[in-house]
Amino acid sequence: MSDGIQIIETGISAQIGQYADAVRIPAGYDQIVLSGTPGLSLDGTLANGIEAQAEQAWHNIEAILAASGAELSDIVSVRQWLRDESDIAGYVSIRKRYVKHSPTFMLGVGVGLVRPEFLVEVEVVAAVPPTT
């Protein structure tokens, strides 16, 4: 995470996984808010299976952040939506390769996504010092 951003740990989230209870973003930081991002490639094809869709979704997020002047380590919050509880382990194994720090996390399971063939959608918020 960018300098100045503070991770707050109270011990609640540590009982569940590796993520922050809260993140404090100092005044003046630019926030980059990404829409729900599925595992669609640029040509519109959808990968098969949770691991392949998660890999593509995180690749998409990395590219969107780069286009916005940010990188994965600037992520302060992640909301993840999975269609099926049995996909949690496969999804998390991919996410861990992309997110190596401790932003805030929320994982919803059993939700209907915009297309029935989508197994995952991921929303992130990144924070970066302002560009002048």
Side-chain angles (χ1 to χ4, degrees):
M1 281 188 202
S2 299
D3 291 334
I5 294 176
Q6 179 185 6
I7 304 273
I8 292 129
E9 302 286 353
T10 65
I12 300 299
S13 63
Q15 298 177 57
I16 302 167
Q18 181 184 342
Y19 60 94
D21 289 311
V23 174
R24 180 186 300 261
I25 304 166
Y29 272 63
D30 289 342
Q31 292 188 37
I32 302 163
V33 180
L34 276 65
S35 295
T37 305
L40 279 174
S41 65
L42 288 177
D43 68 4
T45 59
L46 183 66
N48 291 322
I50 187 61
E51 289 88 356
Q53 285 193 26
E55 184 80 40
Q56 183 64 54
W58 279 102
H59 174 76
N60 294 343
I61 289 165
E62 190 171 34
I64 295 165
L65 287 173
S68 303
E71 52 191 48
L72 292 169
S73 63
D74 295 319
I75 293 172
V76 294
S77 182
V78 181
R79 289 181 195 90
Q80 304 131 121
W81 307 100
L82 302 178
R83 266 201 9 220
D84 194 309
E85 183 177 356
S86 66
D87 288 338
I88 293 173
Y91 168 74
V92 169
S93 70
I94 300 300
R95 182 193 70 207
K96 284 182 176 181
R97 294 194 347 239
Y98 287 86
V99 182
K100 301 188 184 300
H101 60 295
S102 295
T104 63
F105 281 125
M106 192 297 206
L107 176 62
V109 179
V111 297
L113 300 173
V114 69
R115 290 191 192 169
E117 65 271 24
F118 288 177
L119 302 177
V120 61
E121 282 194 56
V122 183
E123 302 172 70
V124 305
V125 177
V128 295
T131 56
T132 52

